[in-house]
Amino acid sequence: SCGSCFSSTPSNSMSSTTHKVAHFGAGCFWAPAEQINSKTGILNTIVGYCGDDTQRKNIPDYDKVCGGYTKLVEAIRVEYDPNIVTYEDLLQYFGEVNTAEIRNKRQYKGIIFTANLKEEDAASNFLSKDGQGYGVVAEVEPMSRTFYVAENYHQNYWTKWKIRIPSFFVALTALSYIGDNGYWPESFVSEQTASNIVCYGCILFLLLERRLDKSVREIIYENE
């Protein structure tokens, strides 16, 4: 297992005998990417967009994809060691983490993107047999030539929030403690004002993070 290797950078330097990739649409990509990344044999997971090779002037971003302006799907690029984990194992992982539902729009569909006939057969067999046990709602589709690596704020999403949320509450708790115990300087802003600054500061940070970090880049994926 390599749960700490969650990165937005593809591991292109690895040998093809120890490094393969697979792509899955599993609903919203945040949680499934982190869950798959914790599995045995997984080297790395990257979230992004694929499933649409339409020629376009500008690289599509999160707003375009989730707004339904493209046929792209929120997807997970899984880099794995085939000496440790098989493609069939990956399908089992996918079945465990897939959150897609029948009513989902294209951008949030459950899709197993296959690179060749062997993967296509394995995926179809999985959905017709094992996938039923997981209640998997998914389709099989040939992998597009392009995978778009999503904006950096989407990478490691829950890992970041596991740090941010406690930090936010620690700050508010500290302010409350200082105020309740009479340590708050009278000449300074009120305790309530300070709490508001913390809250609004967090909101402003999130808005700026999304606005300033809109870089999406392409990985040209050559099917095997």
Side-chain angles (χ1 to χ4, degrees), residues 57-205:
K57 291 182 179 180
N58 299 314
I59 295 178
D61 59 14
Y62 179 75
D63 293 335
K64 290 287 191 301
V65 175
C66 293
Y69 297 103
T70 73
K71 293 183 180 179
L72 290 164
V73 176
E74 284 201 8
I76 306 160
R77 177 183 171 92
V78 181
E79 301 179 356
Y80 67 100
D81 186 340
N83 298 307
I84 299 175
V85 61
T86 66
Y87 185 73
E88 287 72 18
D89 292 328
L90 292 187
L91 294 173
Q92 296 290 332
Y93 296 165
F94 167 73
E96 294 171 11
V97 306
N98 180 43
T99 61
E101 299 179 357
I102 294 175
R103 66 175 180 270
N104 283 18
K105 294 182 179 179
R106 166 75 180 175
Q107 56 268 41
Y108 294 114
K109 275 192 173 294
I111 300 177
I112 302 172
F113 292 100
T114 57
N116 49 50
L117 289 176
K118 183 179 179 180
E119 288 187 1
E120 184 178 340
D121 288 342
S124 297
N125 289 335
F126 169 74
L127 292 179
S128 64
K129 297 177 182 178
D130 296 341
Q132 294 179 359
Y134 292 106
V136 173
V137 176
E139 305 167 1
V140 179
E141 188 174 301
M143 177 57 189
S144 55
R145 186 167 181 267
T146 305
F147 178 85
Y148 298 97
V149 178
E151 298 86 339
N152 192 54
Y153 65 85
H154 290 299
Q155 313 297 336
N156 305 296
Y157 189 83
W158 288 118
T159 300
K160 293 173 184 173
W161 278 100
K162 287 173 184 175
I163 298 172
R164 290 175 178 177
I165 292 175
S167 299
F168 172 72
F169 283 106
V170 165
L172 291 181
T173 301
L175 289 174
S176 177
Y177 176 83
I178 292 171
D180 292 345
N181 289 275
Y183 299 131
W184 198 263
E186 294 182 1
S187 60
F188 199 51
V189 295
S190 69
E191 178 189 346
Q192 183 60 52
T193 299
S195 297
N196 289 341
I197 290 173
V198 172
C199 292
Y200 290 129
C202 288
I203 294 172
L204 179 61
F205 168 77

Side-chain angles (χ1 to χ4, degrees), residues 8-10 46 59-60 146-151 215-219:
S8 61
T9 304
I46 304 169
I59 295 178
T146 305
F147 178 85
Y148 298 97
V149 178
E151 298 86 339
S215 176
V216 176
R217 58 193 183 80
E218 298 175 273
I219 294 178

Side-chain angles (χ1 to χ4, degrees), residues 17-36:
T17 59
T18 60
H19 174 241
K20 282 194 169 186
V21 297
H23 300 83
F24 302 98
C28 177
F29 51 28
W30 292 332
E34 184 165 331
Q35 291 166 340
I36 289 179

